[in-house]
Amino acid sequence: AIKQNVRGFPRPQLDISATNIGKIVEQAMNTTLDPPFNPYENSLNFLIASYIIPYVGLTGYVGANPKLLTPQARRLVAGLLGVESAQDAVIRALLYERGLSRVASYGVGVAEVTAHISDLRNELGRRGVKDEGLVVVPGEGPEGQTVGNIIAGDRYSLAYDRTPEEILGIVYGTGSPAQAGGFFPQGADGRIARGLLM
């Protein structure tokens, strides 16, 4: 759908290796894990690794939508947002069911790991809280009514938005849209990303 609607759609190098995802989880946990986190070791680790990206894309689509100029672009983003939202909800629901489970070898709960990943995404985005883990303090959950947080949203239960600069800082793992790394070691592609790289 993207290639049919956006001419010359870029396909940058994407690093989803166990080593790279392990580094991202260590960055979120602010520690060196022993043994290193391996997203492909078991289904729980895979779910945790899967938690890292879909929500970032979702917030990027929400942020991009008002800036789109053509009906085709808006339709494409609406379709992608619907699918990305569903993916994120399924991943969060499956992880929420395992929220008190311990992540093998590390002695921390699943909910704690997701909170650290969400905190890292907020830190790298550099624009305040636009991300929340599976469990939040009372008053910060959906409409201030619950601590369970399967579907993250603002105080009105609306999806948060992120700018392209925020998204790039997060997926690069550097906090800077001008410094490639993380999932895109050579940088993302497209006019905005290329224009921001150092």
Side-chain angles (χ1 to χ4, degrees), residues 29-198:
M29 300 296 292
N30 197 29
T31 190
T32 301
L33 298 173
D34 186 28
F37 181 84
N38 181 350
Y40 306 111
E41 182 177 333
N42 57 55
S43 49
L44 180 59
N45 284 13
F46 188 80
L47 278 173
I48 290 168
S50 298
Y51 177 83
I52 296 171
I53 288 295
Y55 185 73
V56 177
L58 183 159
T59 58
Y61 294 139
V62 173
N65 196 39
K67 298 172 183 152
L68 299 174
L69 302 177
T70 67
Q72 294 85 0
R74 286 191 200 107
R75 164 68 179 89
L76 175 64
V77 166
L80 292 169
L81 178 59
V83 171
E84 198 84 19
S85 298
Q87 289 172 349
D88 187 60
V90 168
I91 291 166
R92 290 177 74 97
L94 290 169
L95 286 168
Y96 187 81
E97 288 178 340
R98 296 159 177 83
L100 298 177
S101 300
R102 295 280 173 212
V103 181
S105 303
Y106 309 123
V108 294
V110 170
E112 183 179 346
V113 173
T114 65
H116 285 295
I117 291 169
S118 291
D119 290 345
L120 176 65
R121 293 186 298 211
N122 284 327
E123 177 188 328
L124 295 172
R126 297 183 178 182
R127 300 268 171 87
V129 175
K130 295 187 178 185
D131 204 319
E132 303 163 328
L134 300 174
V135 178
V136 293
V137 297
E140 288 185 13
E143 298 176 1
Q145 303 295 312
T146 180
V147 296
N149 203 30
I150 293 175
I151 299 176
D154 67 13
R155 64 187 177 129
Y156 302 110
S157 293
L158 297 174
Y160 291 102
D161 66 323
R162 285 197 168 108
T163 65
E165 292 81 5
E166 290 173 86
I167 297 297
L168 291 168
I170 294 167
V171 298
Y172 289 168
T174 63
S176 170
Q179 186 179 353
F183 287 106
F184 296 100
Q186 306 302 316
D189 208 347
R191 183 179 45 80
I192 294 171
R194 283 192 310 268
L196 293 169
L197 277 176
M198 291 181 186

